PDB file of all heavy atoms in Angstrom:
ATOM      1  N   ALA A 903     -17.052   1.943  -6.873  1.00 98.00           N
ATOM      2  CA  ALA A 903     -16.233   2.069  -8.075  1.00 98.00           C
ATOM      3  C   ALA A 903     -17.061   2.838  -9.106  1.00 98.00           C
ATOM      4  O   ALA A 903     -18.089   2.362  -9.555  1.00 98.00           O
ATOM      5  CB  ALA A 903     -15.867   0.685  -8.595  1.00 98.00           C
ATOM      6  N   VAL A 904     -16.612   4.046  -9.409  1.00 98.00           N
ATOM      7  CA  VAL A 904     -17.406   4.954 -10.232  1.00 98.00           C
ATOM      8  C   VAL A 904     -16.798   5.030 -11.630  1.00 98.00           C
ATOM      9  O   VAL A 904     -15.588   5.214 -11.765  1.00 98.00           O
ATOM     10  CB  VAL A 904     -17.447   6.362  -9.605  1.00 98.00           C
ATOM     11  CG1 VAL A 904     -18.500   7.212 -10.295  1.00 98.00           C
ATOM     12  CG2 VAL A 904     -17.689   6.292  -8.114  1.00 98.00           C
ATOM     13  N   ALA A 905     -17.624   4.917 -12.657  1.00 97.00           N
ATOM     14  CA  ALA A 905     -17.137   4.925 -14.044  1.00 97.00           C
ATOM     15  C   ALA A 905     -16.221   6.117 -14.292  1.00 97.00           C
ATOM     16  O   ALA A 905     -16.429   7.208 -13.761  1.00 97.00           O
ATOM     17  CB  ALA A 905     -18.314   4.959 -15.012  1.00 97.00           C
ATOM     18  N   TRP A 906     -15.197   5.894 -15.126  1.00 97.00           N
ATOM     19  CA  TRP A 906     -14.165   6.901 -15.389  1.00 97.00           C
ATOM     20  C   TRP A 906     -14.560   7.787 -16.563  1.00 97.00           C
ATOM     21  O   TRP A 906     -14.644   7.308 -17.702  1.00 97.00           O
ATOM     22  CB  TRP A 906     -12.837   6.208 -15.696  1.00 97.00           C
ATOM     23  CG  TRP A 906     -12.238   5.529 -14.508  1.00 97.00           C
ATOM     24  CD1 TRP A 906     -12.857   4.594 -13.715  1.00 97.00           C
ATOM     25  CD2 TRP A 906     -10.938   5.733 -13.961  1.00 97.00           C
ATOM     26  NE1 TRP A 906     -12.006   4.208 -12.710  1.00 97.00           N
ATOM     27  CE2 TRP A 906     -10.817   4.885 -12.836  1.00 97.00           C
ATOM     28  CE3 TRP A 906      -9.857   6.543 -14.312  1.00 97.00           C
ATOM     29  CZ2 TRP A 906      -9.668   4.834 -12.059  1.00 97.00           C
ATOM     30  CZ3 TRP A 906      -8.712   6.484 -13.537  1.00 97.00           C
ATOM     31  CH2 TRP A 906      -8.618   5.638 -12.418  1.00 97.00           C
ATOM     32  N   PRO A 907     -14.795   9.088 -16.321  1.00 96.00           N
ATOM     33  CA  PRO A 907     -15.109   9.974 -17.448  1.00 96.00           C
ATOM     34  C   PRO A 907     -13.927  10.117 -18.399  1.00 96.00           C
ATOM     35  O   PRO A 907     -12.779  10.206 -17.961  1.00 96.00           O
ATOM     36  CB  PRO A 907     -15.445  11.307 -16.786  1.00 96.00           C
ATOM     37  CG  PRO A 907     -14.973  11.212 -15.383  1.00 96.00           C
ATOM     38  CD  PRO A 907     -14.840   9.770 -15.026  1.00 96.00           C
ATOM     39  N   GLY A 920     -25.693   9.466 -14.694  1.00 91.00           N
ATOM     40  CA  GLY A 920     -25.431   8.034 -14.773  1.00 91.00           C
ATOM     41  C   GLY A 920     -24.458   7.563 -13.709  1.00 91.00           C
ATOM     42  O   GLY A 920     -24.791   6.744 -12.866  1.00 91.00           O
ATOM     43  N   PHE A 921     -23.237   8.117 -13.713  1.00 92.00           N
ATOM     44  CA  PHE A 921     -22.229   7.597 -12.784  1.00 92.00           C
ATOM     45  C   PHE A 921     -22.093   8.449 -11.522  1.00 92.00           C
ATOM     46  O   PHE A 921     -21.749   7.939 -10.467  1.00 92.00           O
ATOM     47  CB  PHE A 921     -20.863   7.469 -13.485  1.00 92.00           C
ATOM     48  CG  PHE A 921     -20.192   8.791 -13.783  1.00 92.00           C
ATOM     49  CD1 PHE A 921     -19.446   9.433 -12.800  1.00 92.00           C
ATOM     50  CD2 PHE A 921     -20.297   9.387 -15.032  1.00 92.00           C
ATOM     51  CE1 PHE A 921     -18.820  10.648 -13.060  1.00 92.00           C
ATOM     52  CE2 PHE A 921     -19.669  10.599 -15.298  1.00 92.00           C
ATOM     53  CZ  PHE A 921     -18.930  11.230 -14.311  1.00 92.00           C
ATOM     54  N   GLY A 922     -22.342   9.766 -11.635  1.00 96.00           N
ATOM     55  CA  GLY A 922     -21.894  10.677 -10.586  1.00 96.00           C
ATOM     56  C   GLY A 922     -22.762  10.733  -9.352  1.00 96.00           C
ATOM     57  O   GLY A 922     -22.369  10.289  -8.268  1.00 96.00           O
ATOM     58  N   SER A 925     -23.687   7.370  -7.391  1.00 98.00           N
ATOM     59  CA  SER A 925     -22.582   6.768  -6.632  1.00 98.00           C
ATOM     60  C   SER A 925     -22.279   7.568  -5.373  1.00 98.00           C
ATOM     61  O   SER A 925     -21.893   7.011  -4.346  1.00 98.00           O
ATOM     62  CB  SER A 925     -21.334   6.675  -7.507  1.00 98.00           C
ATOM     63  OG  SER A 925     -20.905   7.962  -7.895  1.00 98.00           O
ATOM     64  N   VAL A 942     -13.610   5.395  -5.482  1.00 98.00           N
ATOM     65  CA  VAL A 942     -12.500   5.728  -6.385  1.00 98.00           C
ATOM     66  C   VAL A 942     -12.943   5.848  -7.840  1.00 98.00           C
ATOM     67  O   VAL A 942     -13.903   5.219  -8.275  1.00 98.00           O
ATOM     68  CB  VAL A 942     -11.375   4.665  -6.317  1.00 98.00           C
ATOM     69  CG1 VAL A 942     -10.664   4.692  -4.975  1.00 98.00           C
ATOM     70  CG2 VAL A 942     -11.909   3.277  -6.634  1.00 98.00           C
ATOM     71  N   SER A 943     -12.204   6.671  -8.562  1.00 98.00           N
ATOM     72  CA  SER A 943     -12.392   6.837  -9.992  1.00 98.00           C
ATOM     73  C   SER A 943     -11.279   7.755 -10.494  1.00 98.00           C
ATOM     74  O   SER A 943     -10.299   8.004  -9.788  1.00 98.00           O
ATOM     75  CB  SER A 943     -13.771   7.442 -10.289  1.00 98.00           C
ATOM     76  OG  SER A 943     -13.995   7.484 -11.680  1.00 98.00           O
ATOM     77  N   GLY A 944     -11.447   8.251 -11.710  1.00 97.00           N
ATOM     78  CA  GLY A 944     -10.480   9.183 -12.262  1.00 97.00           C
ATOM     79  C   GLY A 944     -10.820   9.452 -13.715  1.00 97.00           C
ATOM     80  O   GLY A 944     -11.818   8.951 -14.231  1.00 97.00           O
ATOM     81  N   LEU A 978     -16.845  17.792 -10.946  1.00 98.00           N
ATOM     82  CA  LEU A 978     -17.189  16.780  -9.956  1.00 98.00           C
ATOM     83  C   LEU A 978     -17.063  17.315  -8.533  1.00 98.00           C
ATOM     84  O   LEU A 978     -17.880  17.011  -7.665  1.00 98.00           O
ATOM     85  CB  LEU A 978     -16.319  15.529 -10.150  1.00 98.00           C
ATOM     86  CG  LEU A 978     -16.374  14.926 -11.569  1.00 98.00           C
ATOM     87  CD1 LEU A 978     -15.551  13.646 -11.636  1.00 98.00           C
ATOM     88  CD2 LEU A 978     -17.798  14.653 -12.029  1.00 98.00           C
ATOM     89  N   TYR A 985     -15.373  11.620  -3.517  1.00 98.00           N
ATOM     90  CA  TYR A 985     -14.357  10.615  -3.837  1.00 98.00           C
ATOM     91  C   TYR A 985     -13.306  10.540  -2.729  1.00 98.00           C
ATOM     92  O   TYR A 985     -12.854  11.568  -2.230  1.00 98.00           O
ATOM     93  CB  TYR A 985     -13.635  10.988  -5.140  1.00 98.00           C
ATOM     94  CG  TYR A 985     -14.508  10.941  -6.364  1.00 98.00           C
ATOM     95  CD1 TYR A 985     -15.055  12.104  -6.890  1.00 98.00           C
ATOM     96  CD2 TYR A 985     -14.787   9.731  -6.982  1.00 98.00           C
ATOM     97  CE1 TYR A 985     -15.861  12.059  -8.018  1.00 98.00           C
ATOM     98  CE2 TYR A 985     -15.586   9.683  -8.109  1.00 98.00           C
ATOM     99  CZ  TYR A 985     -16.122  10.849  -8.629  1.00 98.00           C
ATOM    100  OH  TYR A 985     -16.913  10.805  -9.729  1.00 98.00           O
ATOM    101  N   PHE A 988      -9.977  10.544  -6.689  1.00 97.00           N
ATOM    102  CA  PHE A 988     -10.298  10.685  -8.110  1.00 97.00           C
ATOM    103  C   PHE A 988      -8.992  11.039  -8.792  1.00 97.00           C
ATOM    104  O   PHE A 988      -8.456  12.125  -8.610  1.00 97.00           O
ATOM    105  CB  PHE A 988     -11.345  11.774  -8.334  1.00 97.00           C
ATOM    106  CG  PHE A 988     -11.768  11.898  -9.771  1.00 97.00           C
ATOM    107  CD1 PHE A 988     -12.828  11.138 -10.263  1.00 97.00           C
ATOM    108  CD2 PHE A 988     -11.105  12.759 -10.641  1.00 97.00           C
ATOM    109  CE1 PHE A 988     -13.213  11.244 -11.606  1.00 97.00           C
ATOM    110  CE2 PHE A 988     -11.482  12.859 -11.983  1.00 97.00           C
ATOM    111  CZ  PHE A 988     -12.541  12.106 -12.460  1.00 97.00           C
ATOM    112  N   TYR A1158     -10.004   0.962 -11.468  1.00 98.00           N
ATOM    113  CA  TYR A1158     -10.580   0.809 -10.118  1.00 98.00           C
ATOM    114  C   TYR A1158      -9.550   0.250  -9.157  1.00 98.00           C
ATOM    115  O   TYR A1158      -9.427   0.688  -8.019  1.00 98.00           O
ATOM    116  CB  TYR A1158     -11.805  -0.109 -10.167  1.00 98.00           C
ATOM    117  CG  TYR A1158     -12.861   0.404 -11.096  1.00 98.00           C
ATOM    118  CD1 TYR A1158     -13.211  -0.284 -12.255  1.00 98.00           C
ATOM    119  CD2 TYR A1158     -13.502   1.608 -10.825  1.00 98.00           C
ATOM    120  CE1 TYR A1158     -14.169   0.211 -13.114  1.00 98.00           C
ATOM    121  CE2 TYR A1158     -14.463   2.112 -11.680  1.00 98.00           C
ATOM    122  CZ  TYR A1158     -14.787   1.405 -12.833  1.00 98.00           C
ATOM    123  OH  TYR A1158     -15.734   1.907 -13.687  1.00 98.00           O
ATOM    124  N   TYR A1188     -20.397  -0.997  -8.514  1.00 98.00           N
ATOM    125  CA  TYR A1188     -19.888  -0.271  -9.682  1.00 98.00           C
ATOM    126  C   TYR A1188     -21.032   0.548 -10.278  1.00 98.00           C
ATOM    127  O   TYR A1188     -22.108   0.015 -10.556  1.00 98.00           O
ATOM    128  CB  TYR A1188     -19.353  -1.262 -10.723  1.00 98.00           C
ATOM    129  CG  TYR A1188     -18.077  -1.958 -10.292  1.00 98.00           C
ATOM    130  CD1 TYR A1188     -18.097  -2.933  -9.290  1.00 98.00           C
ATOM    131  CD2 TYR A1188     -16.854  -1.635 -10.867  1.00 98.00           C
ATOM    132  CE1 TYR A1188     -16.924  -3.566  -8.886  1.00 98.00           C
ATOM    133  CE2 TYR A1188     -15.677  -2.267 -10.468  1.00 98.00           C
ATOM    134  CZ  TYR A1188     -15.711  -3.223  -9.480  1.00 98.00           C
ATOM    135  OH  TYR A1188     -14.561  -3.845  -9.083  1.00 98.00           O
ATOM    136  N   PHE A1189     -20.779   1.846 -10.496  1.00 98.00           N
ATOM    137  CA  PHE A1189     -21.818   2.764 -10.974  1.00 98.00           C
ATOM    138  C   PHE A1189     -21.468   3.313 -12.355  1.00 98.00           C
ATOM    139  O   PHE A1189     -20.334   3.768 -12.574  1.00 98.00           O
ATOM    140  CB  PHE A1189     -21.976   3.933  -9.997  1.00 98.00           C
ATOM    141  CG  PHE A1189     -22.630   3.537  -8.708  1.00 98.00           C
ATOM    142  CD1 PHE A1189     -21.874   3.005  -7.670  1.00 98.00           C
ATOM    143  CD2 PHE A1189     -23.994   3.672  -8.534  1.00 98.00           C
ATOM    144  CE1 PHE A1189     -22.468   2.622  -6.472  1.00 98.00           C
ATOM    145  CE2 PHE A1189     -24.605   3.297  -7.347  1.00 98.00           C
ATOM    146  CZ  PHE A1189     -23.842   2.772  -6.317  1.00 98.00           C
ATOM    147  N   MET A1190     -22.460   3.329 -13.251  1.00 96.00           N
ATOM    148  CA  MET A1190     -22.185   3.760 -14.630  1.00 96.00           C
ATOM    149  C   MET A1190     -23.489   4.008 -15.382  1.00 96.00           C
ATOM    150  O   MET A1190     -24.566   3.642 -14.903  1.00 96.00           O
ATOM    151  CB  MET A1190     -21.415   2.667 -15.359  1.00 96.00           C
ATOM    152  CG  MET A1190     -22.310   1.486 -15.685  1.00 96.00           C
ATOM    153  SD  MET A1190     -21.497  -0.078 -15.519  1.00 96.00           S
ATOM    154  CE  MET A1190     -21.103  -0.060 -13.797  1.00 96.00           C
ATOM    155  N   GLY A1191     -23.368   4.572 -16.588  1.00 93.00           N
ATOM    156  CA  GLY A1191     -24.486   4.639 -17.523  1.00 93.00           C
ATOM    157  C   GLY A1191     -24.569   3.324 -18.288  1.00 93.00           C
ATOM    158  O   GLY A1191     -23.618   2.543 -18.320  1.00 93.00           O
ATOM    159  N   ASN A1194     -22.003   1.426 -20.588  1.00 91.00           N
ATOM    160  CA  ASN A1194     -20.777   0.834 -20.040  1.00 91.00           C
ATOM    161  C   ASN A1194     -20.989  -0.500 -19.333  1.00 91.00           C
ATOM    162  O   ASN A1194     -20.067  -1.019 -18.718  1.00 91.00           O
ATOM    163  CB  ASN A1194     -20.122   1.816 -19.064  1.00 91.00           C
ATOM    164  CG  ASN A1194     -19.203   2.782 -19.778  1.00 91.00           C
ATOM    165  OD1 ASN A1194     -18.468   2.372 -20.673  1.00 91.00           O
ATOM    166  ND2 ASN A1194     -19.243   4.040 -19.417  1.00 91.00           N
ATOM    167  N   HIS A1198     -18.261  -3.682 -17.301  1.00 97.00           N
ATOM    168  CA  HIS A1198     -18.281  -3.927 -15.858  1.00 97.00           C
ATOM    169  C   HIS A1198     -18.900  -5.252 -15.457  1.00 97.00           C
ATOM    170  O   HIS A1198     -18.586  -5.784 -14.401  1.00 97.00           O
ATOM    171  CB  HIS A1198     -19.016  -2.780 -15.162  1.00 97.00           C
ATOM    172  CG  HIS A1198     -18.318  -1.474 -15.326  1.00 97.00           C
ATOM    173  ND1 HIS A1198     -18.528  -0.667 -16.411  1.00 97.00           N
ATOM    174  CD2 HIS A1198     -17.377  -0.870 -14.572  1.00 97.00           C
ATOM    175  CE1 HIS A1198     -17.748   0.410 -16.295  1.00 97.00           C
ATOM    176  NE2 HIS A1198     -17.050   0.309 -15.199  1.00 97.00           N
TER     177      HIS A1198
END
Side-chain angles (χ1 to χ4, degrees):
V904 192
W906 291 55
F921 71 83
S925 62
V942 292
S943 185
L978 305 184
Y985 294 100
F988 184 89
Y1158 302 114
Y1188 290 72
F1189 288 85
M1190 73 218 62
N1194 273 318
H1198 296 87

